[in-house]
Amino acid sequence: AWGLGTFVGIPPLALFTLSFAERWDAIRHDLELFFALGNRKRLKARLLAEGERLAGEVERLAEEYRPKLDASVAR
């Protein structure tokens, strides 16, 4: 009787354990991401500042190379 009970009980327990482990991995990943990035407001502000910095850099490079491009097109 014990053997039959064990044989019948092990597969559902194994599936439950697998499901729990997968959920825990997803929760752990979400927690790591949350603490790495901080809250969304701070992340949004940081990304906007970085975008403005990059846009300024692109504008500076465009101004630097525009005369060279205009001269090469005029030839």
Side-chain angles (χ1 to χ4, degrees):
W2 284 98
L4 181 61
T6 302
F7 183 73
V8 171
I10 291 293
L13 182 60
L15 290 173
F16 172 76
T17 304
L18 179 63
S19 173
F20 181 79
E22 288 174 352
R23 287 184 190 157
W24 181 249
D25 284 342
I27 290 170
R28 186 179 47 79
H29 177 263
D30 290 346
L31 285 172
E32 288 174 358
L33 191 62
F34 174 78
F35 286 115
L37 298 177
N39 65 24
R40 288 183 181 209
K41 188 175 183 180
R42 188 173 58 204
L43 176 61
K44 183 179 177 182
R46 203 168 66 200
L47 289 174
L48 285 172
E50 181 69 9
E52 289 174 5
R53 185 191 69 76
L54 289 172
E57 184 71 16
V58 168
E59 283 295 323
R60 185 188 67 77
L61 289 170
E63 291 300 321
E64 181 180 330
Y65 285 102
R66 187 169 289 128
K68 295 175 185 176
L69 290 172
D70 290 342
S72 67
V73 170
R75 289 185 208 175

